[in-house]
Amino acid sequence: MSAILASLIPTFLIIATGWLCRATNFVSEQQWAGLERVTYVIFFPALIIDTLSRADLSSVPVLGVGGALIGAILTMAVLVLALRPVLERRFGIDGPSFTSIFQGATRWNTFVGLAVAGGLFGQRGIALIAVAIAAMVPLLNLLAFYVFIRFAGQPRRSPWDILRSFLTNPFIWSCAVGLTLNLLAPPLPRPLAGYIEVMGRAALAAGLLIVGAGLDIRRLASPGLPHVLTASLKLILMPVIAVTYARFIGVSGDDMTVTIIAASVPSASAAYVLARQMGGNAGLMAEILTLQTLLALVSMPLLISLLR
C-alpha cells in the first residue's frame, strides 16, 4: 500500500497543481487549449512511439494483459448498452446524456495510468501500459464513435468519415508507428531517437496538469444517478472484471497490478472534448470526470491492494 500511495500521491499533486493554475487563472483558457493540443498531438504520440519501439514485448504478457483489458471493455460496453432502455424509461436519461455515461464507464485516463505504472515498476510498467494502450484505444474509439452516432442525434456519417477520424486519432497512429518500428524496423538513428524520447518525457507532466485543469469542483454540488452509476462501474466493477479475465488467462504478479491500474484509472479527459465535438452532454461529462478523478485517489490504492 505504501508503494502504491508513493506513486499515486505525486500523480495527484500534479493534478492538483493543474487545478490550482486553472482556478487562479494563472494559466488562461487559451493557453490550456494550446497545451492540450500539443500534448494530445505531439507529446503523447512521442511517448507511445518511444516506449513501444524500444519495449521488449517478448518479456511482457501482451496477450494476457491486452486480452483481459479488451474483455473487460467489451463486457462493460455490453452492460451499459443493455442498461440504456432502463435509464431512458425509468430515469429520463436522454441520448446525449447516455453518451457521457457510456464514456464515463468505459474510457480510461492513459496519463494517470502511465504515471502510476511507471512510478511503481519503471520501464516495465510503462511498457505494459503501452500494451494496454495498443489494445484498448482503437476499440474504445470505435465504441465511442458508434455510441455518438447512434444516440447523440448526430447526422449519419459516411464510412470514409468514420475511418478517417479513426486513423487520424493520435493515440491510434502512434500505436501503429511504435509497434511497426518495434517489429520491423532497425533502431532509429540516435538523433531521431533522442528527439522522440525528449518530446515524450513532457507527456506525463503536461497530461496530468491538463487533467487537473479540467476539474470543476463546483459541478459536484448535487451528484445524481449518472455520476454515481459511472463511478461505480468504472472505478469498481471494471477492475473486478479485468482481474477476473486476467486470472483466467494466467496473468499474475506485477503484470496483474498493471492490469488493475489500467482498469481502475478514471475516465479520459479526452471524453469531454469528444462530447463537445459530437453532440454529447459535455457538462455532464465534465462532472463525471471530476468526481471520478477525486474518488480514484482512494479507490485505486484500495483496489490494487485487494485485487492483486
Side-chain angles (χ1 to χ4, degrees):
M1 176 70 83
S2 60
I4 294 166
L5 286 174
S7 297
L8 275 173
I9 289 173
T11 298
F12 281 90
L13 284 176
I14 298 173
I15 292 174
T17 301
W19 173 82
L20 186 62
C21 289
R22 180 67 170 270
T24 60
N25 205 33
F26 179 74
V27 180
S28 69
E29 182 77 24
Q30 289 182 332
Q31 290 171 321
W32 281 118
L35 179 61
E36 180 177 336
R37 180 164 179 80
V38 170
T39 302
Y40 187 66
V41 177
I42 298 176
F43 292 160
F44 190 79
L47 176 63
I48 297 304
I49 292 171
D50 179 58
T51 301
L52 283 178
S53 64
R54 295 193 292 121
D56 182 6
L57 297 180
S58 62
S59 67
V60 295
V62 175
L63 295 179
V65 173
L69 293 171
I70 288 174
I73 290 170
L74 291 174
T75 301
M76 183 61 70
V78 170
L79 173 61
V80 177
L81 288 170
L83 289 173
R84 163 65 181 156
V86 177
L87 292 173
E88 181 180 28
R89 185 170 58 252
R90 295 282 303 274
F91 301 101
I93 302 296
D94 60 14
S97 296
F98 176 75
T99 65
S100 295
I101 292 175
F102 185 88
Q103 287 202 99
T106 56
R107 296 183 74 107
W108 71 306
N109 196 308
T110 52
F111 299 124
V112 176
L114 277 165
V116 175
L120 280 175
F121 304 113
Q123 198 60 37
R124 178 179 174 82
I126 292 177
L128 280 166
I129 287 292
V131 169
I133 291 169
M136 298 169 72
V137 168
L139 176 60
L140 285 169
N141 278 275
L142 278 175
L143 291 171
F145 277 124
Y146 165 75
V147 168
F148 274 105
I149 292 171
R150 175 68 176 81
F151 298 108
Q154 289 287 297
R156 293 285 181 177
R157 302 177 66 184
S158 70
W160 168 245
D161 287 338
I162 296 174
L163 179 62
R164 183 174 57 186
S165 299
F166 182 74
L167 294 178
T168 56
N169 184 302
F171 288 76
I172 292 172
W173 63 254
S174 60
C175 289
V177 171
L179 288 172
T180 300
L181 290 174
N182 185 294
L183 298 174
L184 301 178
L188 293 173
R190 181 167 297 185
L192 181 58
Y195 163 75
I196 295 175
E197 180 183 1
V198 171
M199 295 292 281
R201 288 177 188 168
L204 289 183
L208 293 173
L209 288 171
I210 291 167
V211 171
L215 299 181
D216 189 349
I217 310 300
R218 295 168 299 177
R219 292 181 178 272
L220 301 179
S222 55
L225 174 68
H227 308 80
V228 176
L229 178 63
T230 52
S232 302
L233 292 176
K234 181 66 189 73
L235 301 180
I236 299 175
L237 186 57
M238 177 74 88
V240 172
I241 296 173
V243 167
T244 302
Y245 283 121
R247 285 180 177 162
F248 179 78
I249 296 172
V251 178
S252 62
D254 294 344
D255 302 329
M256 174 66 82
T257 303
V258 175
T259 303
I260 299 168
I261 291 170
S264 62
V265 294
S267 189
S269 54
Y272 174 72
V273 178
L274 195 60
R276 286 193 304 178
Q277 292 176 345
M278 298 194 66
N281 188 335
L284 176 60
M285 193 71 251
E287 296 164 10
I288 289 171
L289 290 172
T290 301
L291 180 63
Q292 287 191 8
T293 303
L294 295 174
L295 291 178
L297 180 59
V298 176
S299 65
M300 284 186 68
L302 287 176
L303 285 169
I304 293 170
S305 298
L306 292 172
L307 295 178
R308 66 175 301 197

